[in-house]
mmCIF file of all heavy atoms in Angstrom:
data_model
loop_
_atom_site.group_PDB
_atom_site.id
_atom_site.type_symbol
_atom_site.label_atom_id
_atom_site.label_comp_id
_atom_site.label_asym_id
_atom_site.label_seq_id
_atom_site.Cartn_x
_atom_site.Cartn_y
_atom_site.Cartn_z
ATOM 1 N N SER A 25 2.444 12.281 -13.931
ATOM 2 C CA SER A 25 1.285 11.885 -13.140
ATOM 3 C C SER A 25 0.521 10.807 -13.898
ATOM 4 O O SER A 25 0.409 10.862 -15.132
ATOM 5 C CB SER A 25 0.386 13.088 -12.858
ATOM 6 O OG SER A 25 -0.069 13.671 -14.063
ATOM 7 N N PHE A 26 -0.016 9.840 -13.149
ATOM 8 C CA PHE A 26 -0.676 8.681 -13.750
ATOM 9 C C PHE A 26 -2.039 8.471 -13.096
ATOM 10 O O PHE A 26 -2.155 8.456 -11.871
ATOM 11 C CB PHE A 26 0.173 7.416 -13.577
ATOM 12 C CG PHE A 26 1.497 7.471 -14.282
ATOM 13 C CD1 PHE A 26 2.605 8.018 -13.657
ATOM 14 C CD2 PHE A 26 1.634 6.985 -15.565
ATOM 15 C CE1 PHE A 26 3.825 8.074 -14.295
ATOM 16 C CE2 PHE A 26 2.853 7.045 -16.219
ATOM 17 C CZ PHE A 26 3.954 7.582 -15.590
ATOM 18 N N TYR A 27 -3.044 8.314 -13.935
ATOM 19 C CA TYR A 27 -4.376 7.938 -13.459
ATOM 20 C C TYR A 27 -4.581 6.454 -13.722
ATOM 21 O O TYR A 27 -4.367 5.979 -14.840
ATOM 22 C CB TYR A 27 -5.454 8.747 -14.182
ATOM 23 C CG TYR A 27 -6.855 8.332 -13.827
ATOM 24 C CD1 TYR A 27 -7.437 8.738 -12.631
ATOM 25 C CD2 TYR A 27 -7.594 7.507 -14.669
ATOM 26 C CE1 TYR A 27 -8.719 8.355 -12.285
ATOM 27 C CE2 TYR A 27 -8.878 7.115 -14.338
ATOM 28 C CZ TYR A 27 -9.435 7.536 -13.149
ATOM 29 O OH TYR A 27 -10.707 7.142 -12.815
ATOM 30 N N VAL A 28 -4.969 5.714 -12.691
ATOM 31 C CA VAL A 28 -5.150 4.265 -12.821
ATOM 32 C C VAL A 28 -6.634 3.969 -13.031
ATOM 33 O O VAL A 28 -7.475 4.272 -12.172
ATOM 34 C CB VAL A 28 -4.627 3.522 -11.575
ATOM 35 C CG1 VAL A 28 -4.845 2.026 -11.720
ATOM 36 C CG2 VAL A 28 -3.137 3.816 -11.372
ATOM 37 N N ARG A 29 -6.956 3.392 -14.163
ATOM 38 C CA ARG A 29 -8.342 3.026 -14.458
ATOM 39 C C ARG A 29 -8.743 1.773 -13.676
ATOM 40 O O ARG A 29 -7.899 1.045 -13.169
ATOM 41 C CB ARG A 29 -8.500 2.744 -15.955
ATOM 42 C CG ARG A 29 -8.215 3.930 -16.866
ATOM 43 C CD ARG A 29 -8.381 3.507 -18.319
ATOM 44 N NE ARG A 29 -8.182 4.599 -19.264
ATOM 45 C CZ ARG A 29 -8.231 4.455 -20.589
ATOM 46 N NH1 ARG A 29 -8.470 3.246 -21.112
ATOM 47 N NH2 ARG A 29 -8.039 5.496 -21.379
ATOM 48 N N ASP A 30 -10.047 1.534 -13.612
ATOM 49 C CA ASP A 30 -10.527 0.288 -13.011
ATOM 50 C C ASP A 30 -10.056 -0.903 -13.826
ATOM 51 O O ASP A 30 -9.997 -0.851 -15.065
ATOM 52 C CB ASP A 30 -12.054 0.283 -12.942
ATOM 53 C CG ASP A 30 -12.590 1.306 -11.944
ATOM 54 O OD1 ASP A 30 -11.834 1.674 -11.020
ATOM 55 O OD2 ASP A 30 -13.750 1.728 -12.090
ATOM 56 N N THR A 31 -9.719 -1.980 -13.151
ATOM 57 C CA THR A 31 -9.172 -3.167 -13.809
ATOM 58 C C THR A 31 -10.233 -3.874 -14.639
ATOM 59 O O THR A 31 -11.374 -4.055 -14.192
ATOM 60 C CB THR A 31 -8.611 -4.138 -12.762
ATOM 61 O OG1 THR A 31 -7.542 -3.496 -12.063
ATOM 62 C CG2 THR A 31 -8.100 -5.414 -13.399
ATOM 63 N N HIS A 32 -9.846 -4.274 -15.852
ATOM 64 C CA HIS A 32 -10.701 -5.134 -16.665
ATOM 65 C C HIS A 32 -10.622 -6.554 -16.120
ATOM 66 O O HIS A 32 -9.547 -7.163 -16.110
ATOM 67 C CB HIS A 32 -10.250 -5.119 -18.121
ATOM 68 C CG HIS A 32 -10.587 -3.856 -18.834
ATOM 69 N ND1 HIS A 32 -9.933 -3.433 -19.981
ATOM 70 C CD2 HIS A 32 -11.527 -2.901 -18.586
ATOM 71 C CE1 HIS A 32 -10.441 -2.287 -20.382
ATOM 72 N NE2 HIS A 32 -11.407 -1.944 -19.553
ATOM 73 N N ALA A 33 -11.727 -7.104 -15.665
ATOM 74 C CA ALA A 33 -11.784 -8.483 -15.166
ATOM 75 C C ALA A 33 -12.320 -9.370 -16.280
ATOM 76 O O ALA A 33 -13.418 -9.136 -16.799
ATOM 77 C CB ALA A 33 -12.676 -8.566 -13.936
ATOM 78 N N GLN A 34 -11.543 -10.381 -16.662
ATOM 79 C CA GLN A 34 -11.905 -11.218 -17.793
ATOM 80 C C GLN A 34 -11.855 -12.693 -17.425
ATOM 81 O O GLN A 34 -11.017 -13.121 -16.638
ATOM 82 C CB GLN A 34 -10.945 -10.975 -18.972
ATOM 83 C CG GLN A 34 -10.793 -9.505 -19.362
ATOM 84 C CD GLN A 34 -9.748 -9.314 -20.441
ATOM 85 O OE1 GLN A 34 -9.837 -9.899 -21.519
ATOM 86 N NE2 GLN A 34 -8.752 -8.501 -20.137
ATOM 87 N N ASN A 35 -12.780 -13.455 -17.986
ATOM 88 C CA ASN A 35 -12.732 -14.917 -17.963
ATOM 89 C C ASN A 35 -12.557 -15.489 -16.556
ATOM 90 O O ASN A 35 -11.545 -16.106 -16.232
ATOM 91 C CB ASN A 35 -11.593 -15.421 -18.870
ATOM 92 C CG ASN A 35 -11.678 -16.929 -19.100
ATOM 93 O OD1 ASN A 35 -12.762 -17.505 -19.014
ATOM 94 N ND2 ASN A 35 -10.548 -17.553 -19.387
ATOM 95 N N GLY A 36 -13.568 -15.275 -15.690
ATOM 96 C CA GLY A 36 -13.551 -15.915 -14.390
ATOM 97 C C GLY A 36 -12.932 -15.111 -13.271
ATOM 98 O O GLY A 36 -12.821 -15.607 -12.152
ATOM 99 N N ILE A 37 -12.518 -13.882 -13.533
ATOM 100 C CA ILE A 37 -11.926 -13.040 -12.488
ATOM 101 C C ILE A 37 -13.045 -12.330 -11.734
ATOM 102 O O ILE A 37 -13.901 -11.689 -12.335
ATOM 103 C CB ILE A 37 -10.956 -12.009 -13.097
ATOM 104 C CG1 ILE A 37 -9.836 -12.717 -13.868
ATOM 105 C CG2 ILE A 37 -10.379 -11.114 -12.009
ATOM 106 C CD1 ILE A 37 -9.007 -13.656 -13.030
ATOM 107 N N SER A 38 -13.034 -12.423 -10.402
ATOM 108 C CA SER A 38 -14.077 -11.798 -9.587
ATOM 109 C C SER A 38 -13.853 -10.294 -9.505
ATOM 110 O O SER A 38 -12.740 -9.794 -9.702
ATOM 111 C CB SER A 38 -14.086 -12.404 -8.185
ATOM 112 O OG SER A 38 -12.920 -12.025 -7.472
ATOM 113 N N GLN A 39 -14.937 -9.587 -9.194
ATOM 114 C CA GLN A 39 -14.829 -8.135 -9.026
ATOM 115 C C GLN A 39 -13.946 -7.781 -7.833
ATOM 116 O O GLN A 39 -13.256 -6.762 -7.844
ATOM 117 C CB GLN A 39 -16.223 -7.529 -8.851
ATOM 118 C CG GLN A 39 -17.040 -7.522 -10.128
ATOM 119 C CD GLN A 39 -16.348 -6.768 -11.256
ATOM 120 O OE1 GLN A 39 -15.871 -5.655 -11.073
ATOM 121 N NE2 GLN A 39 -16.285 -7.374 -12.428
ATOM 122 N N GLN A 40 -13.940 -8.612 -6.809
ATOM 123 C CA GLN A 40 -13.068 -8.346 -5.660
ATOM 124 C C GLN A 40 -11.606 -8.434 -6.063
ATOM 125 O O GLN A 40 -10.797 -7.586 -5.675
ATOM 126 C CB GLN A 40 -13.360 -9.343 -4.535
ATOM 127 C CG GLN A 40 -12.471 -9.141 -3.316
ATOM 128 C CD GLN A 40 -12.845 -10.049 -2.162
ATOM 129 O OE1 GLN A 40 -14.002 -10.435 -2.037
ATOM 130 N NE2 GLN A 40 -11.879 -10.389 -1.324
ATOM 131 N N ASP A 41 -11.237 -9.463 -6.857
ATOM 132 C CA ASP A 41 -9.859 -9.568 -7.339
ATOM 133 C C ASP A 41 -9.510 -8.392 -8.242
ATOM 134 O O ASP A 41 -8.384 -7.887 -8.202
ATOM 135 C CB ASP A 41 -9.660 -10.882 -8.090
ATOM 136 C CG ASP A 41 -9.613 -12.083 -7.162
ATOM 137 O OD1 ASP A 41 -9.334 -11.887 -5.962
ATOM 138 O OD2 ASP A 41 -9.865 -13.210 -7.621
ATOM 139 N N ALA A 42 -10.473 -7.949 -9.048
ATOM 140 C CA ALA A 42 -10.217 -6.807 -9.932
ATOM 141 C C ALA A 42 -9.959 -5.538 -9.120
ATOM 142 O O ALA A 42 -9.054 -4.764 -9.438
ATOM 143 C CB ALA A 42 -11.403 -6.609 -10.878
ATOM 144 N N ARG A 43 -10.737 -5.325 -8.062
ATOM 145 C CA ARG A 43 -10.510 -4.147 -7.217
ATOM 146 C C ARG A 43 -9.155 -4.230 -6.510
ATOM 147 O O ARG A 43 -8.477 -3.215 -6.323
ATOM 148 C CB ARG A 43 -11.642 -4.024 -6.189
ATOM 149 C CG ARG A 43 -12.972 -3.585 -6.790
ATOM 150 C CD ARG A 43 -13.954 -3.187 -5.691
ATOM 151 N NE ARG A 43 -14.308 -4.333 -4.854
ATOM 152 C CZ ARG A 43 -15.340 -5.128 -5.080
ATOM 153 N NH1 ARG A 43 -16.122 -4.922 -6.134
ATOM 154 N NH2 ARG A 43 -15.612 -6.137 -4.253
ATOM 155 N N THR A 44 -8.764 -5.450 -6.132
ATOM 156 C CA THR A 44 -7.454 -5.633 -5.508
ATOM 157 C C THR A 44 -6.340 -5.252 -6.476
ATOM 158 O O THR A 44 -5.369 -4.586 -6.096
ATOM 159 C CB THR A 44 -7.273 -7.090 -5.051
ATOM 160 O OG1 THR A 44 -8.249 -7.397 -4.057
ATOM 161 C CG2 THR A 44 -5.882 -7.322 -4.491
ATOM 162 N N VAL A 45 -6.457 -5.667 -7.744
ATOM 163 C CA VAL A 45 -5.451 -5.332 -8.753
ATOM 164 C C VAL A 45 -5.359 -3.817 -8.922
ATOM 165 O O VAL A 45 -4.264 -3.253 -8.984
ATOM 166 C CB VAL A 45 -5.786 -6.015 -10.091
ATOM 167 C CG1 VAL A 45 -4.886 -5.486 -11.209
ATOM 168 C CG2 VAL A 45 -5.634 -7.520 -9.979
ATOM 169 N N THR A 46 -6.499 -3.146 -8.990
ATOM 170 C CA THR A 46 -6.500 -1.682 -9.123
ATOM 171 C C THR A 46 -5.765 -1.036 -7.954
ATOM 172 O O THR A 46 -4.947 -0.127 -8.130
ATOM 173 C CB THR A 46 -7.939 -1.152 -9.185
ATOM 174 O OG1 THR A 46 -8.633 -1.787 -10.269
ATOM 175 C CG2 THR A 46 -7.950 0.360 -9.413
ATOM 176 N N SER A 47 -6.018 -1.524 -6.740
ATOM 177 C CA SER A 47 -5.345 -0.980 -5.559
ATOM 178 C C SER A 47 -3.840 -1.228 -5.605
ATOM 179 O O SER A 47 -3.040 -0.362 -5.231
ATOM 180 C CB SER A 47 -5.934 -1.614 -4.288
ATOM 181 O OG SER A 47 -7.296 -1.307 -4.168
ATOM 182 N N LEU A 48 -3.434 -2.415 -6.057
ATOM 183 C CA LEU A 48 -2.013 -2.738 -6.150
ATOM 184 C C LEU A 48 -1.297 -1.816 -7.129
ATOM 185 O O LEU A 48 -0.191 -1.339 -6.858
ATOM 186 C CB LEU A 48 -1.838 -4.194 -6.581
ATOM 187 C CG LEU A 48 -2.160 -5.263 -5.536
ATOM 188 C CD1 LEU A 48 -2.227 -6.643 -6.193
ATOM 189 C CD2 LEU A 48 -1.125 -5.263 -4.434
ATOM 190 N N VAL A 49 -1.915 -1.563 -8.266
ATOM 191 C CA VAL A 49 -1.289 -0.692 -9.275
ATOM 192 C C VAL A 49 -1.212 0.739 -8.750
ATOM 193 O O VAL A 49 -0.197 1.426 -8.918
ATOM 194 C CB VAL A 49 -2.055 -0.765 -10.606
ATOM 195 C CG1 VAL A 49 -1.482 0.238 -11.616
ATOM 196 C CG2 VAL A 49 -1.993 -2.176 -11.181
#
Side-chain angles (χ1 to χ4, degrees):
S25 59
F26 296 87
Y27 175 78
V28 179
R29 298 179 178 178
D30 292 336
T31 298
H32 286 159
Q34 308 175 57
N35 191 26
I37 301 300
S38 69
Q39 288 302 312
Q40 179 175 332
D41 287 339
R43 288 193 295 269
T44 297
V45 170
T46 303
S47 298
L48 287 168
V49 175

